[in-house]
Amino acid sequence: MSRRQERAELQESLKQLERNDLQDVVKVQQYVVGVTMGQYPFEHPNGPTVSPGTRYMPNQTEIDFTQKTRSSLYSNFFRFAFVGAFTPYITLRVLSIMQKRVISTQRYMVWSSLGGGFGAMYGMTLGRISVARDYLRLENSPLATEARYQLWKLNPNHPFLRGFEHETNEWNEYSFRDSRDTFNNNHDDDNNDYND
């Protein structure tokens, strides 16, 4: 997929997101970091068992994904910082030519620095959202499956879960069976207490 297609797809998915959806993604990212550090266990069905306090060792798919996304994050950062810095510079330069007056170098530097800073922040934010979306789509990754599971628990209709209906259906059945078994066990305990 080309960069232009990826950008168009990201813009389309961002249009569908609401503020709560983005907050859910941030919560899931924080949880997955905790799972990686060994602070939280894997909760999704058939997830790997990791001893409490033991760091999760990523598989090759996750390592490759991390290396690929790190370069795209840096690319976004520098690209948007460059655009953000040169836009005010070019605008001030054009204004100085049109108005036939000299604009001080200090003013160029201040506005270009501010533009570069805002451009870099925007690029990183856009990059993080893109990486989060791509990470949730990652196959053969226990961490990505855990992230989808946690996102499903927070918001079963989240736009980033589209395409993973087979997993969400399985989790629905799993939670239904688990709640039914819990109900039956509690009901049996109540009957035993009644009979005693």
Side-chain angles (χ1 to χ4, degrees), residues 26 44 52 108 138-140 158:
V26 169
H44 72 274
Y108 281 117
L138 195 60
E139 295 286 339
N140 303 321
H158 197 283

Side-chain angles (χ1 to χ4, degrees), residues 1-193:
M1 187 181 303
S2 72
R3 228 182 246 267
R4 183 169 284 161
Q5 289 172 330
E6 285 180 15
R7 209 171 308 135
E9 189 177 310
L10 177 62
Q11 287 175 349
E12 186 62 35
S13 65
L14 286 177
K15 288 178 188 175
Q16 299 171 358
L17 289 180
E18 296 176 10
R19 184 177 183 86
N20 293 339
D21 295 333
L22 289 173
Q23 289 172 341
D24 291 343
V25 170
V26 169
K27 288 176 189 174
V28 167
Q29 285 177 327
Q30 292 169 347
Y31 185 85
V32 168
V33 168
V35 169
T36 304
M37 302 303 270
Q39 297 169 344
Y40 308 116
F42 282 91
E43 291 182 2
H44 72 274
N46 304 323
T49 52
V50 179
S51 307
T54 305
R55 290 180 60 115
Y56 170 75
M57 298 306 293
N59 63 22
Q60 192 60 43
T61 303
E62 295 162 340
I63 292 170
D64 294 342
F65 179 80
T66 302
Q67 290 172 349
K68 179 184 139 211
T69 55
R70 186 175 296 139
S71 66
S72 72
L73 279 174
Y74 287 138
S75 161
N76 264 358
F77 176 82
F78 288 116
R79 194 164 16 114
F80 282 96
F82 180 78
V83 169
F86 274 101
T87 300
Y89 176 82
I90 292 169
T91 304
L92 287 172
R93 191 76 181 131
V94 168
L95 284 174
S96 74
I97 292 170
M98 288 174 59
Q99 294 178 353
K100 294 185 172 107
R101 65 176 224 201
V102 177
I103 296 177
S104 68
T105 307
Q106 185 179 7
R107 187 167 285 174
Y108 281 117
M109 294 302 293
V110 168
W111 286 105
S112 293
S113 297
L114 287 172
F118 284 118
M121 288 188 309
Y122 178 75
M124 285 300 288
T125 302
L126 207 61
R128 284 186 64 201
I129 293 169
S130 173
V131 166
R133 185 199 62 197
D134 292 345
Y135 191 77
L136 285 167
R137 293 180 177 174
L138 195 60
E139 295 286 339
N140 303 321
S141 164
L143 272 178
T145 305
E146 182 66 23
R148 288 191 295 271
Y149 181 72
Q150 294 301 325
L151 189 58
W152 172 79
K153 281 176 37 180
L154 290 172
N155 182 357
N157 299 318
H158 197 283
F160 284 1
L161 293 175
R162 289 188 190 127
F164 292 96
E165 287 79 11
H166 61 285
E167 286 183 349
T168 57
N169 290 338
E170 179 183 318
W171 296 332
N172 277 328
E173 290 175 19
Y174 176 79
S175 65
F176 176 72
R177 271 193 313 246
D178 189 44
S179 64
R180 187 184 63 207
D181 292 345
T182 303
F183 174 77
N184 287 339
N185 288 341
N186 289 341
H187 185 68
D188 290 344
D189 290 344
D190 290 343
N191 285 340
N192 290 339
D193 291 341

